[in-house]
Amino acid sequence: MATRARRLPADERKKRIIESARGVFAASNYWKVSTADLARAAGVSEPALYRYFPSKKDIFLSTIKTTAPKLLDSWQRVAEEVDDPLETLWSIGVGYYDHLKSHSAVMKLQFQALVETDDPDIRKALQENFSSFVDFVAEIIEDGKRRGLVREEVDAMAYAWHFLGMGLTLDTMHLLRFDDTITRQRMEAWVSFLIDCLRAEKPEGRLQPVGAAVPYDHLPSVPDSLEEMVISDRPAS
């Protein structure tokens, strides 16, 4: 007698539908994907799909809304392991570069969702995602201010958007296959430069950073200008 497959709990089945839908949407786009495509990828029938989600749009919104918590959770773990706020930003920035290729589906989904922001529900979901990212980075900067590590005149929210823009630039470069254009060493210099823009003058008795795998203080110096960076990459004549 054949053994009947274990029936998944509703929450687990819903989670699997969202995860598989993320890949389907990323491989195509919101308008081309059908509920039949989503059901097939999830290994369920279309009627079963509708038991968990009333529409394709609800599935799309769920894939967007579940993106931010995962990224924030990884950032929170870094913040808990690294004492220095500036070093926390270093670890987040370089860590994003290191894992760029592994979250291609997520970044494609975010870019696709940006195209659909005329829809108020999709726009709201993205607003909540990006607001949570910016708030997280801004709080790290404010913590640095309280501890005398970040210059008082720094606008935490404006800088947080700037920091987030670095990630969006990396996403764009990856999607356009410019991966070889920015090496890890260049990325380290980029993040180091952004951190140096925040840094307050070293106070007396400042604690040394702890916890980061590659302390930013140990990085090669950032070129004085973009021209110097370009010249350094030219082959010798």
Side-chain angles (χ1 to χ4, degrees):
M1 182 176 178
T3 303
R4 187 175 182 178
R6 181 177 68 90
R7 185 180 181 86
L8 293 175
D11 289 346
E12 186 175 343
R13 173 67 70 188
K14 189 172 183 178
K15 181 179 177 181
R16 289 195 180 188
I17 292 173
I18 293 171
E19 292 297 327
S20 62
R22 182 176 290 114
V24 175
F25 284 124
S28 182
N29 65 55
Y30 176 64
W31 293 107
K32 287 184 179 180
V33 170
S34 66
T35 52
D37 296 326
L38 296 170
R40 191 179 309 110
V44 299
S45 64
E46 282 192 74
L49 191 73
Y50 283 114
R51 286 203 296 270
Y52 297 98
F53 298 94
S55 69
K56 181 180 75 170
K57 178 179 171 181
D58 285 289
I59 301 176
F60 189 66
L61 287 170
S62 294
T63 62
I64 298 171
K65 292 176 180 179
T66 55
T67 297
K70 289 185 176 182
L71 186 56
L72 288 173
D73 182 61
S74 66
W75 288 2
Q76 184 60 47
R77 289 197 300 271
V78 171
E80 291 171 355
E81 295 171 359
V82 181
D83 179 66
D84 188 320
L86 296 180
E87 200 164 307
T88 298
L89 292 177
W90 154 261
S91 298
I92 289 173
V94 175
Y96 193 84
Y97 173 86
D98 288 339
H99 296 93
L100 193 64
K101 294 180 181 179
S102 67
H103 59 250
S104 293
V106 173
M107 74 174 76
K108 286 181 180 178
L109 183 69
Q110 293 288 321
F111 275 83
Q112 287 184 18
L114 286 170
V115 178
E116 307 299 337
T117 51
D118 285 341
D119 184 300
D121 295 324
I122 295 175
R123 181 171 63 249
K124 181 181 178 182
L126 282 175
Q127 285 176 336
E128 291 174 353
N129 277 7
F130 279 83
S131 292
S132 64
F133 298 149
V134 170
D135 289 344
F136 188 94
V137 175
E139 177 51 36
I140 293 175
I141 297 169
E142 292 293 351
D143 182 41
K145 285 185 179 183
R146 290 190 290 269
R147 296 166 63 175
L149 305 176
V150 173
R151 293 185 292 116
E152 283 296 330
E153 67 271 22
V154 170
D155 185 319
M157 291 298 290
Y159 183 93
W161 276 106
H162 184 51
F163 188 83
L164 196 65
M166 177 179 63
L168 289 172
T169 299
L170 286 174
D171 291 341
T172 302
M173 294 177 74
H174 176 64
L175 292 174
L176 296 178
R177 303 296 189 268
F178 281 118
D179 301 272
D180 294 336
T181 302
I182 182 164
T183 62
R184 194 179 197 277
Q185 184 178 17
R186 276 184 165 173
M187 183 62 198
E188 290 173 350
W190 188 3
V191 177
S192 184
F193 174 77
L194 291 180
I195 290 174
D196 284 339
C197 291
L198 292 174
R199 196 190 306 276
E201 291 186 10
K202 185 175 181 180
E204 290 293 328
R206 173 189 168 189
L207 294 174
Q208 292 299 313
V210 295
V214 187
Y216 50 77
D217 289 345
H218 296 172
L219 292 176
S221 59
V222 180
D224 292 332
S225 66
L226 289 176
E227 181 180 4
E228 181 182 337
M229 180 179 285
V230 172
I231 292 175
S232 67
D233 285 339
R234 291 175 182 167
S237 57

